[in-house]
Amino acid sequence: MKKYGKIMLLVALIMTLCKSQFVALARTLEESRAAVIEVLTQGLFEEFTYEEAEEYLAAEEANVLVTGYFDDFRSYGIEGSLSTAYSMIVADYLKAYFEANTTEDDLAAIYPYAVNFKKLPERLLFYHADNTAGDYADFDVTNENGRLTMYYVYWGPNQSRLNALPLEGVAVVNQTKELQAAASNHQIERTVTSNTYVDAQGPAYSDTTYKVYFFYNEEDKLSVLLWDSTNHQQTLKEYTTLETRQELEGIVEGASIDVVSNSDWKLPEDWRLLSPRRGNIPPVTWSMTSTGDGETFAIEPVNQKEGVVSGFVNPTYSIQVTTVNQMTNEVISTMNATPNAEGYFSIDAGASVSIQPTIRLYDASSNLVYETDLDVYQYQPTALANDSGFLTLERYFIGQTYMEGYTYPNAQVMIMPLNGYGTASLPPIKADEKGYFYAATPAHTTNLTTNVVTVIHPETGELLTVAPYPWTQSELETAQW
């Protein structure tokens, strides 16, 4: 009973300490130390004396102050004989001890190659030395309070588009590690040193583990190396920023180097008419199907048959488009672009209903200014009349269960619903002697799908098609014609 009571007392101690992150609630570091020594006496298979536990902890304290090295939290304990829960308590204490007994100068000496992400822009782009064109980044990193979201970009097997490996994790500073790196495929490898790494989580479907190392290279540019458990590479490819450390830190301080300011740029009033993709879509409909604030940017509608993401943004911005498989939630590709002098950009993203694009806009300081998932339209909306004049429709609304219009007399009218899952034509409708037709049709709950109406030109045999945009009443009331 005595031993059982002692164990229960320790369990209660552990629960209390863990509940509030242990060290945070302890009144003093010395009191925490005494509790940790008591924990260390409880090995998995045997008990240790207080003196043995104190000696072990003193050695760990001395080691962490000299090396700055923190072991895996499951590895602490005399002779490695300690439960995981107890080991976590030791690890938390040693981190608190290290923080309490080191100054900024100490940290600089212990971790001479550390990367401080607080001084760097939220977004960092890295390029391989053999990527001479530089029209896309090989490694795209976004930092949110020390948690890094990374995309390792590489060419797919058909060389027609970019694929991307999504990685995520927290930046950790630890003992100095030597690594073998090669900046170019044609360059001799060299030894580099790093104090900062990320134990990265890859796609959920993969069992591969990843480590991403960061360091400043001999040109004082930020470099990144990627290691994975599948290949166990001895020499790692190096990817570097185009900017130096001074330039990157200057961006954060608002004194970026060689960045052209264009804060007064506004979306052209006639952007609907300037778009090379609009074709015969009415400007008011083009405006309705676009995404933006109407003043500083406009992302044009994404049509499934084209798969293109385009629009107008500030010329100093950069654009990133990521496509995701909607069935598996797997990232398919990540592509980057910059607008032309007028602010227009276009990316062939291969987007479709099952491959949804996400767009991110970054300003000249690499700060994220806008992000959204883009809808994909099943059709390219047209006016309510075909240019030939042989086919016109009445106004068409969301939720409407019929379509009506005019075509040439006694014409056969074909109607095909687009619902995102497949297409199946309804039975043909014959227009009356005056050309009027009326047909019951499926209702659509959003503007992303519609009922396409087609007739055959009586003289040329050409297919005449109208793909109306299903309006809401509020859109009609607020539309700028």
Side-chain angles (χ1 to χ4, degrees), residues 255-288:
S256 57
I257 299 174
D258 295 330
V259 173
V260 179
S261 175
N262 203 351
S263 58
D264 296 331
W265 186 88
K266 296 291 184 182
L267 187 67
E269 291 185 8
D270 57 348
W271 65 271
R272 305 162 190 82
L273 303 177
L274 294 174
S275 172
R277 284 189 54 232
R278 185 176 66 85
N280 64 347
I281 300 176
V284 64
T285 305
W286 189 255
S287 178
M288 288 294 181

PDB file of all heavy atoms in Angstrom, residues 255-288:
ATOM      1  N   ALA A 255      11.933  48.864 -44.989  1.00  0.00           N
ATOM      2  CA  ALA A 255      12.964  49.533 -45.786  1.00  0.00           C
ATOM      3  C   ALA A 255      13.505  48.579 -46.824  1.00  0.00           C
ATOM      4  O   ALA A 255      14.699  48.388 -46.965  1.00  0.00           O
ATOM      5  CB  ALA A 255      14.090  50.014 -44.877  1.00  0.00           C
ATOM      6  N   SER A 256      12.618  47.903 -47.527  1.00  0.00           N
ATOM      7  CA  SER A 256      13.038  46.910 -48.508  1.00  0.00           C
ATOM      8  C   SER A 256      13.880  47.540 -49.606  1.00  0.00           C
ATOM      9  O   SER A 256      13.687  48.692 -49.986  1.00  0.00           O
ATOM     10  CB  SER A 256      11.815  46.227 -49.131  1.00  0.00           C
ATOM     11  OG  SER A 256      10.963  47.180 -49.710  1.00  0.00           O
ATOM     12  N   ILE A 257      14.808  46.777 -50.120  1.00  0.00           N
ATOM     13  CA  ILE A 257      15.758  47.252 -51.103  1.00  0.00           C
ATOM     14  C   ILE A 257      15.273  46.942 -52.511  1.00  0.00           C
ATOM     15  O   ILE A 257      14.843  45.829 -52.811  1.00  0.00           O
ATOM     16  CB  ILE A 257      17.130  46.615 -50.853  1.00  0.00           C
ATOM     17  CG1 ILE A 257      17.631  47.024 -49.462  1.00  0.00           C
ATOM     18  CG2 ILE A 257      18.126  47.006 -51.936  1.00  0.00           C
ATOM     19  CD1 ILE A 257      18.912  46.340 -49.058  1.00  0.00           C
ATOM     20  N   ASP A 258      15.333  47.941 -53.382  1.00  0.00           N
ATOM     21  CA  ASP A 258      14.979  47.779 -54.790  1.00  0.00           C
ATOM     22  C   ASP A 258      13.543  47.283 -55.001  1.00  0.00           C
ATOM     23  O   ASP A 258      13.246  46.540 -55.928  1.00  0.00           O
ATOM     24  CB  ASP A 258      15.942  46.808 -55.499  1.00  0.00           C
ATOM     25  CG  ASP A 258      17.353  47.363 -55.551  1.00  0.00           C
ATOM     26  OD1 ASP A 258      17.492  48.586 -55.598  1.00  0.00           O
ATOM     27  OD2 ASP A 258      18.280  46.552 -55.527  1.00  0.00           O
ATOM     28  N   VAL A 259      12.626  47.681 -54.112  1.00  0.00           N
ATOM     29  CA  VAL A 259      11.222  47.349 -54.295  1.00  0.00           C
ATOM     30  C   VAL A 259      10.487  48.597 -54.777  1.00  0.00           C
ATOM     31  O   VAL A 259      10.518  49.637 -54.143  1.00  0.00           O
ATOM     32  CB  VAL A 259      10.590  46.854 -52.973  1.00  0.00           C
ATOM     33  CG1 VAL A 259       9.091  46.677 -53.137  1.00  0.00           C
ATOM     34  CG2 VAL A 259      11.240  45.543 -52.557  1.00  0.00           C
ATOM     35  N   VAL A 260       9.836  48.489 -55.928  1.00  0.00           N
ATOM     36  CA  VAL A 260       9.134  49.631 -56.505  1.00  0.00           C
ATOM     37  C   VAL A 260       7.790  49.779 -55.811  1.00  0.00           C
ATOM     38  O   VAL A 260       6.994  48.854 -55.762  1.00  0.00           O
ATOM     39  CB  VAL A 260       8.930  49.432 -58.019  1.00  0.00           C
ATOM     40  CG1 VAL A 260       8.175  50.610 -58.608  1.00  0.00           C
ATOM     41  CG2 VAL A 260      10.272  49.259 -58.707  1.00  0.00           C
ATOM     42  N   SER A 261       7.524  50.945 -55.261  1.00  0.00           N
ATOM     43  CA  SER A 261       6.260  51.180 -54.584  1.00  0.00           C
ATOM     44  C   SER A 261       5.199  51.580 -55.598  1.00  0.00           C
ATOM     45  O   SER A 261       5.448  52.377 -56.490  1.00  0.00           O
ATOM     46  CB  SER A 261       6.431  52.290 -53.533  1.00  0.00           C
ATOM     47  OG  SER A 261       5.183  52.601 -52.958  1.00  0.00           O
ATOM     48  N   ASN A 262       4.025  51.014 -55.452  1.00  0.00           N
ATOM     49  CA  ASN A 262       2.920  51.356 -56.333  1.00  0.00           C
ATOM     50  C   ASN A 262       1.625  51.302 -55.537  1.00  0.00           C
ATOM     51  O   ASN A 262       0.642  50.692 -55.944  1.00  0.00           O
ATOM     52  CB  ASN A 262       2.858  50.385 -57.520  1.00  0.00           C
ATOM     53  CG  ASN A 262       2.132  50.990 -58.711  1.00  0.00           C
ATOM     54  OD1 ASN A 262       1.531  52.060 -58.602  1.00  0.00           O
ATOM     55  ND2 ASN A 262       2.175  50.303 -59.835  1.00  0.00           N
ATOM     56  N   SER A 263       1.638  51.970 -54.377  1.00  0.00           N
ATOM     57  CA  SER A 263       0.511  51.889 -53.464  1.00  0.00           C
ATOM     58  C   SER A 263      -0.713  52.618 -53.981  1.00  0.00           C
ATOM     59  O   SER A 263      -1.829  52.377 -53.517  1.00  0.00           O
ATOM     60  CB  SER A 263       0.909  52.448 -52.089  1.00  0.00           C
ATOM     61  OG  SER A 263       1.342  53.790 -52.219  1.00  0.00           O
ATOM     62  N   ASP A 264      -0.530  53.519 -54.946  1.00  0.00           N
ATOM     63  CA  ASP A 264      -1.658  54.292 -55.468  1.00  0.00           C
ATOM     64  C   ASP A 264      -2.359  53.587 -56.619  1.00  0.00           C
ATOM     65  O   ASP A 264      -3.311  54.123 -57.177  1.00  0.00           O
ATOM     66  CB  ASP A 264      -1.173  55.673 -55.936  1.00  0.00           C
ATOM     67  CG  ASP A 264      -0.630  56.513 -54.790  1.00  0.00           C
ATOM     68  OD1 ASP A 264      -1.102  56.298 -53.651  1.00  0.00           O
ATOM     69  OD2 ASP A 264       0.254  57.340 -55.025  1.00  0.00           O
ATOM     70  N   TRP A 265      -1.891  52.389 -56.976  1.00  0.00           N
ATOM     71  CA  TRP A 265      -2.489  51.684 -58.107  1.00  0.00           C
ATOM     72  C   TRP A 265      -3.925  51.320 -57.798  1.00  0.00           C
ATOM     73  O   TRP A 265      -4.253  50.870 -56.708  1.00  0.00           O
ATOM     74  CB  TRP A 265      -1.696  50.422 -58.413  1.00  0.00           C
ATOM     75  CG  TRP A 265      -2.157  49.701 -59.652  1.00  0.00           C
ATOM     76  CD1 TRP A 265      -1.754  49.915 -60.925  1.00  0.00           C
ATOM     77  CD2 TRP A 265      -3.113  48.627 -59.710  1.00  0.00           C
ATOM     78  NE1 TRP A 265      -2.386  49.046 -61.787  1.00  0.00           N
ATOM     79  CE2 TRP A 265      -3.233  48.251 -61.071  1.00  0.00           C
ATOM     80  CE3 TRP A 265      -3.880  47.957 -58.769  1.00  0.00           C
ATOM     81  CZ2 TRP A 265      -4.079  47.236 -61.494  1.00  0.00           C
ATOM     82  CZ3 TRP A 265      -4.740  46.951 -59.188  1.00  0.00           C
ATOM     83  CH2 TRP A 265      -4.814  46.601 -60.541  1.00  0.00           C
ATOM     84  N   LYS A 266      -4.801  51.530 -58.766  1.00  0.00           N
ATOM     85  CA  LYS A 266      -6.208  51.171 -58.638  1.00  0.00           C
ATOM     86  C   LYS A 266      -6.621  50.293 -59.801  1.00  0.00           C
ATOM     87  O   LYS A 266      -6.054  50.364 -60.885  1.00  0.00           O
ATOM     88  CB  LYS A 266      -7.090  52.429 -58.598  1.00  0.00           C
ATOM     89  CG  LYS A 266      -6.862  53.339 -57.390  1.00  0.00           C
ATOM     90  CD  LYS A 266      -7.338  52.671 -56.114  1.00  0.00           C
ATOM     91  CE  LYS A 266      -7.186  53.625 -54.924  1.00  0.00           C
ATOM     92  NZ  LYS A 266      -7.600  52.975 -53.653  1.00  0.00           N
ATOM     93  N   LEU A 267      -7.621  49.483 -59.545  1.00  0.00           N
ATOM     94  CA  LEU A 267      -8.163  48.635 -60.595  1.00  0.00           C
ATOM     95  C   LEU A 267      -8.745  49.517 -61.697  1.00  0.00           C
ATOM     96  O   LEU A 267      -9.541  50.419 -61.408  1.00  0.00           O
ATOM     97  CB  LEU A 267      -9.255  47.751 -60.005  1.00  0.00           C
ATOM     98  CG  LEU A 267      -9.848  46.665 -60.891  1.00  0.00           C
ATOM     99  CD1 LEU A 267      -8.795  45.608 -61.183  1.00  0.00           C
ATOM    100  CD2 LEU A 267     -11.054  46.034 -60.213  1.00  0.00           C
ATOM    101  N   PRO A 268      -8.335  49.315 -62.955  1.00  0.00           N
ATOM    102  CA  PRO A 268      -8.876  50.155 -64.042  1.00  0.00           C
ATOM    103  C   PRO A 268     -10.397  50.073 -64.078  1.00  0.00           C
ATOM    104  O   PRO A 268     -10.976  48.997 -63.922  1.00  0.00           O
ATOM    105  CB  PRO A 268      -8.251  49.538 -65.303  1.00  0.00           C
ATOM    106  CG  PRO A 268      -7.047  48.801 -64.818  1.00  0.00           C
ATOM    107  CD  PRO A 268      -7.375  48.322 -63.448  1.00  0.00           C
ATOM    108  N   GLU A 269     -11.040  51.211 -64.292  1.00  0.00           N
ATOM    109  CA  GLU A 269     -12.504  51.224 -64.313  1.00  0.00           C
ATOM    110  C   GLU A 269     -13.054  50.334 -65.421  1.00  0.00           C
ATOM    111  O   GLU A 269     -14.141  49.774 -65.296  1.00  0.00           O
ATOM    112  CB  GLU A 269     -13.008  52.662 -64.471  1.00  0.00           C
ATOM    113  CG  GLU A 269     -12.749  53.535 -63.243  1.00  0.00           C
ATOM    114  CD  GLU A 269     -13.372  54.906 -63.381  1.00  0.00           C
ATOM    115  OE1 GLU A 269     -14.128  55.105 -64.369  1.00  0.00           O
ATOM    116  OE2 GLU A 269     -13.136  55.760 -62.518  1.00  0.00           O
ATOM    117  N   ASP A 270     -12.334  50.236 -66.516  1.00  0.00           N
ATOM    118  CA  ASP A 270     -12.804  49.435 -67.647  1.00  0.00           C
ATOM    119  C   ASP A 270     -12.146  48.057 -67.690  1.00  0.00           C
ATOM    120  O   ASP A 270     -11.981  47.478 -68.758  1.00  0.00           O
ATOM    121  CB  ASP A 270     -12.558  50.177 -68.962  1.00  0.00           C
ATOM    122  CG  ASP A 270     -11.078  50.542 -69.147  1.00  0.00           C
ATOM    123  OD1 ASP A 270     -10.319  50.419 -68.163  1.00  0.00           O
ATOM    124  OD2 ASP A 270     -10.708  50.953 -70.257  1.00  0.00           O
ATOM    125  N   TRP A 271     -11.774  47.515 -66.530  1.00  0.00           N
ATOM    126  CA  TRP A 271     -11.076  46.225 -66.490  1.00  0.00           C
ATOM    127  C   TRP A 271     -11.906  45.118 -67.133  1.00  0.00           C
ATOM    128  O   TRP A 271     -11.353  44.191 -67.715  1.00  0.00           O
ATOM    129  CB  TRP A 271     -10.715  45.848 -65.050  1.00  0.00           C
ATOM    130  CG  TRP A 271     -11.885  45.589 -64.152  1.00  0.00           C
ATOM    131  CD1 TRP A 271     -12.556  46.495 -63.391  1.00  0.00           C
ATOM    132  CD2 TRP A 271     -12.529  44.332 -63.919  1.00  0.00           C
ATOM    133  NE1 TRP A 271     -13.577  45.902 -62.705  1.00  0.00           N
ATOM    134  CE2 TRP A 271     -13.589  44.563 -63.004  1.00  0.00           C
ATOM    135  CE3 TRP A 271     -12.328  43.042 -64.370  1.00  0.00           C
ATOM    136  CZ2 TRP A 271     -14.442  43.568 -62.557  1.00  0.00           C
ATOM    137  CZ3 TRP A 271     -13.169  42.030 -63.928  1.00  0.00           C
ATOM    138  CH2 TRP A 271     -14.211  42.296 -63.035  1.00  0.00           C
ATOM    139  N   ARG A 272     -13.242  45.214 -67.054  1.00  0.00           N
ATOM    140  CA  ARG A 272     -14.092  44.186 -67.669  1.00  0.00           C
ATOM    141  C   ARG A 272     -13.904  44.148 -69.178  1.00  0.00           C
ATOM    142  O   ARG A 272     -13.983  43.084 -69.802  1.00  0.00           O
ATOM    143  CB  ARG A 272     -15.554  44.460 -67.338  1.00  0.00           C
ATOM    144  CG  ARG A 272     -15.828  44.587 -65.837  1.00  0.00           C
ATOM    145  CD  ARG A 272     -17.153  45.281 -65.587  1.00  0.00           C
ATOM    146  NE  ARG A 272     -17.337  45.627 -64.189  1.00  0.00           N
ATOM    147  CZ  ARG A 272     -16.823  46.717 -63.615  1.00  0.00           C
ATOM    148  NH1 ARG A 272     -16.074  47.546 -64.328  1.00  0.00           N
ATOM    149  NH2 ARG A 272     -17.050  46.962 -62.354  1.00  0.00           N
ATOM    150  N   LEU A 273     -13.685  45.324 -69.765  1.00  0.00           N
ATOM    151  CA  LEU A 273     -13.525  45.399 -71.219  1.00  0.00           C
ATOM    152  C   LEU A 273     -12.101  45.079 -71.644  1.00  0.00           C
ATOM    153  O   LEU A 273     -11.864  44.653 -72.772  1.00  0.00           O
ATOM    154  CB  LEU A 273     -13.904  46.810 -71.702  1.00  0.00           C
ATOM    155  CG  LEU A 273     -15.312  47.287 -71.349  1.00  0.00           C
ATOM    156  CD1 LEU A 273     -15.516  48.720 -71.833  1.00  0.00           C
ATOM    157  CD2 LEU A 273     -16.359  46.364 -71.955  1.00  0.00           C
ATOM    158  N   LEU A 274     -11.135  45.280 -70.722  1.00  0.00           N
ATOM    159  CA  LEU A 274      -9.728  45.054 -71.069  1.00  0.00           C
ATOM    160  C   LEU A 274      -9.353  43.575 -71.046  1.00  0.00           C
ATOM    161  O   LEU A 274      -8.373  43.176 -71.671  1.00  0.00           O
ATOM    162  CB  LEU A 274      -8.823  45.806 -70.078  1.00  0.00           C
ATOM    163  CG  LEU A 274      -8.885  47.335 -70.117  1.00  0.00           C
ATOM    164  CD1 LEU A 274      -8.039  47.914 -68.991  1.00  0.00           C
ATOM    165  CD2 LEU A 274      -8.399  47.855 -71.464  1.00  0.00           C
ATOM    166  N   SER A 275     -10.118  42.766 -70.345  1.00  0.00           N
ATOM    167  CA  SER A 275      -9.741  41.366 -70.167  1.00  0.00           C
ATOM    168  C   SER A 275      -9.674  40.616 -71.487  1.00  0.00           C
ATOM    169  O   SER A 275     -10.638  40.635 -72.265  1.00  0.00           O
ATOM    170  CB  SER A 275     -10.742  40.662 -69.252  1.00  0.00           C
ATOM    171  OG  SER A 275     -10.474  39.272 -69.236  1.00  0.00           O
ATOM    172  N   PRO A 276      -8.559  39.944 -71.765  1.00  0.00           N
ATOM    173  CA  PRO A 276      -8.457  39.149 -73.004  1.00  0.00           C
ATOM    174  C   PRO A 276      -9.273  37.860 -72.951  1.00  0.00           C
ATOM    175  O   PRO A 276      -9.439  37.202 -73.978  1.00  0.00           O
ATOM    176  CB  PRO A 276      -6.957  38.856 -73.100  1.00  0.00           C
ATOM    177  CG  PRO A 276      -6.468  38.897 -71.686  1.00  0.00           C
ATOM    178  CD  PRO A 276      -7.293  39.946 -71.005  1.00  0.00           C
ATOM    179  N   ARG A 277      -9.790  37.506 -71.779  1.00  0.00           N
ATOM    180  CA  ARG A 277     -10.527  36.253 -71.649  1.00  0.00           C
ATOM    181  C   ARG A 277     -12.038  36.432 -71.729  1.00  0.00           C
ATOM    182  O   ARG A 277     -12.763  35.453 -71.859  1.00  0.00           O
ATOM    183  CB  ARG A 277     -10.193  35.589 -70.300  1.00  0.00           C
ATOM    184  CG  ARG A 277      -8.830  34.914 -70.226  1.00  0.00           C
ATOM    185  CD  ARG A 277      -8.713  34.104 -68.941  1.00  0.00           C
ATOM    186  NE  ARG A 277      -9.804  33.166 -68.796  1.00  0.00           N
ATOM    187  CZ  ARG A 277     -10.580  33.068 -67.716  1.00  0.00           C
ATOM    188  NH1 ARG A 277     -10.367  33.866 -66.674  1.00  0.00           N
ATOM    189  NH2 ARG A 277     -11.557  32.187 -67.662  1.00  0.00           N
ATOM    190  N   ARG A 278     -12.537  37.653 -71.667  1.00  0.00           N
ATOM    191  CA  ARG A 278     -13.976  37.852 -71.541  1.00  0.00           C
ATOM    192  C   ARG A 278     -14.753  37.389 -72.763  1.00  0.00           C
ATOM    193  O   ARG A 278     -15.837  36.814 -72.658  1.00  0.00           O
ATOM    194  CB  ARG A 278     -14.285  39.329 -71.262  1.00  0.00           C
ATOM    195  CG  ARG A 278     -15.761  39.607 -70.993  1.00  0.00           C
ATOM    196  CD  ARG A 278     -15.974  41.052 -70.628  1.00  0.00           C
ATOM    197  NE  ARG A 278     -15.670  41.939 -71.727  1.00  0.00           N
ATOM    198  CZ  ARG A 278     -16.525  42.262 -72.704  1.00  0.00           C
ATOM    199  NH1 ARG A 278     -17.747  41.742 -72.716  1.00  0.00           N
ATOM    200  NH2 ARG A 278     -16.163  43.076 -73.667  1.00  0.00           N
ATOM    201  N   GLY A 279     -14.217  37.611 -73.943  1.00  0.00           N
ATOM    202  CA  GLY A 279     -14.914  37.197 -75.162  1.00  0.00           C
ATOM    203  C   GLY A 279     -16.255  37.892 -75.292  1.00  0.00           C
ATOM    204  O   GLY A 279     -16.364  39.109 -75.116  1.00  0.00           O
ATOM    205  N   ASN A 280     -17.323  37.117 -75.547  1.00  0.00           N
ATOM    206  CA  ASN A 280     -18.637  37.715 -75.743  1.00  0.00           C
ATOM    207  C   ASN A 280     -19.490  37.706 -74.473  1.00  0.00           C
ATOM    208  O   ASN A 280     -20.696  37.926 -74.533  1.00  0.00           O
ATOM    209  CB  ASN A 280     -19.387  36.970 -76.859  1.00  0.00           C
ATOM    210  CG  ASN A 280     -19.672  35.518 -76.483  1.00  0.00           C
ATOM    211  OD1 ASN A 280     -19.112  35.010 -75.522  1.00  0.00           O
ATOM    212  ND2 ASN A 280     -20.534  34.864 -77.247  1.00  0.00           N
ATOM    213  N   ILE A 281     -18.860  37.449 -73.336  1.00  0.00           N
ATOM    214  CA  ILE A 281     -19.606  37.504 -72.077  1.00  0.00           C
ATOM    215  C   ILE A 281     -19.907  38.967 -71.753  1.00  0.00           C
ATOM    216  O   ILE A 281     -19.001  39.806 -71.769  1.00  0.00           O
ATOM    217  CB  ILE A 281     -18.812  36.859 -70.934  1.00  0.00           C
ATOM    218  CG1 ILE A 281     -18.525  35.390 -71.253  1.00  0.00           C
ATOM    219  CG2 ILE A 281     -19.562  36.969 -69.615  1.00  0.00           C
ATOM    220  CD1 ILE A 281     -17.665  34.700 -70.233  1.00  0.00           C
ATOM    221  N   PRO A 282     -21.168  39.317 -71.462  1.00  0.00           N
ATOM    222  CA  PRO A 282     -21.493  40.716 -71.155  1.00  0.00           C
ATOM    223  C   PRO A 282     -20.671  41.234 -69.985  1.00  0.00           C
ATOM    224  O   PRO A 282     -20.436  40.507 -69.015  1.00  0.00           O
ATOM    225  CB  PRO A 282     -22.987  40.645 -70.795  1.00  0.00           C
ATOM    226  CG  PRO A 282     -23.481  39.395 -71.435  1.00  0.00           C
ATOM    227  CD  PRO A 282     -22.344  38.430 -71.403  1.00  0.00           C
ATOM    228  N   PRO A 283     -20.215  42.482 -70.059  1.00  0.00           N
ATOM    229  CA  PRO A 283     -19.389  43.029 -68.968  1.00  0.00           C
ATOM    230  C   PRO A 283     -20.050  42.910 -67.598  1.00  0.00           C
ATOM    231  O   PRO A 283     -19.379  42.648 -66.606  1.00  0.00           O
ATOM    232  CB  PRO A 283     -19.201  44.490 -69.370  1.00  0.00           C
ATOM    233  CG  PRO A 283     -19.337  44.484 -70.853  1.00  0.00           C
ATOM    234  CD  PRO A 283     -20.357  43.430 -71.167  1.00  0.00           C
ATOM    235  N   VAL A 284     -21.369  43.090 -67.520  1.00  0.00           N
ATOM    236  CA  VAL A 284     -22.039  43.013 -66.218  1.00  0.00           C
ATOM    237  C   VAL A 284     -21.981  41.592 -65.666  1.00  0.00           C
ATOM    238  O   VAL A 284     -21.774  41.387 -64.460  1.00  0.00           O
ATOM    239  CB  VAL A 284     -23.502  43.500 -66.321  1.00  0.00           C
ATOM    240  CG1 VAL A 284     -24.325  42.597 -67.238  1.00  0.00           C
ATOM    241  CG2 VAL A 284     -24.129  43.553 -64.936  1.00  0.00           C
ATOM    242  N   THR A 285     -22.109  40.595 -66.542  1.00  0.00           N
ATOM    243  CA  THR A 285     -22.007  39.203 -66.098  1.00  0.00           C
ATOM    244  C   THR A 285     -20.575  38.856 -65.724  1.00  0.00           C
ATOM    245  O   THR A 285     -20.322  38.151 -64.749  1.00  0.00           O
ATOM    246  CB  THR A 285     -22.509  38.259 -67.201  1.00  0.00           C
ATOM    247  OG1 THR A 285     -23.827  38.638 -67.577  1.00  0.00           O
ATOM    248  CG2 THR A 285     -22.517  36.824 -66.724  1.00  0.00           C
ATOM    249  N   TRP A 286     -19.626  39.351 -66.488  1.00  0.00           N
ATOM    250  CA  TRP A 286     -18.210  39.130 -66.182  1.00  0.00           C
ATOM    251  C   TRP A 286     -17.867  39.686 -64.809  1.00  0.00           C
ATOM    252  O   TRP A 286     -17.131  39.073 -64.027  1.00  0.00           O
ATOM    253  CB  TRP A 286     -17.351  39.776 -67.266  1.00  0.00           C
ATOM    254  CG  TRP A 286     -15.892  39.428 -67.184  1.00  0.00           C
ATOM    255  CD1 TRP A 286     -14.886  40.235 -66.732  1.00  0.00           C
ATOM    256  CD2 TRP A 286     -15.272  38.201 -67.576  1.00  0.00           C
ATOM    257  NE1 TRP A 286     -13.681  39.581 -66.811  1.00  0.00           N
ATOM    258  CE2 TRP A 286     -13.884  38.332 -67.335  1.00  0.00           C
ATOM    259  CE3 TRP A 286     -15.758  37.014 -68.112  1.00  0.00           C
ATOM    260  CZ2 TRP A 286     -12.983  37.320 -67.615  1.00  0.00           C
ATOM    261  CZ3 TRP A 286     -14.853  36.005 -68.384  1.00  0.00           C
ATOM    262  CH2 TRP A 286     -13.487  36.156 -68.135  1.00  0.00           C
ATOM    263  N   SER A 287     -18.440  40.840 -64.510  1.00  0.00           N
ATOM    264  CA  SER A 287     -18.203  41.455 -63.209  1.00  0.00           C
ATOM    265  C   SER A 287     -18.807  40.604 -62.095  1.00  0.00           C
ATOM    266  O   SER A 287     -18.186  40.391 -61.051  1.00  0.00           O
ATOM    267  CB  SER A 287     -18.802  42.862 -63.175  1.00  0.00           C
ATOM    268  OG  SER A 287     -18.626  43.447 -61.902  1.00  0.00           O
ATOM    269  N   MET A 288     -20.023  40.087 -62.331  1.00  0.00           N
ATOM    270  CA  MET A 288     -20.692  39.274 -61.319  1.00  0.00           C
ATOM    271  C   MET A 288     -19.948  37.971 -61.039  1.00  0.00           C
ATOM    272  O   MET A 288     -19.912  37.492 -59.907  1.00  0.00           O
ATOM    273  CB  MET A 288     -22.121  38.960 -61.763  1.00  0.00           C
ATOM    274  CG  MET A 288     -23.060  40.134 -61.715  1.00  0.00           C
ATOM    275  SD  MET A 288     -23.339  40.694 -60.016  1.00  0.00           S
ATOM    276  CE  MET A 288     -24.490  42.029 -60.330  1.00  0.00           C
TER     277      MET A 288
END
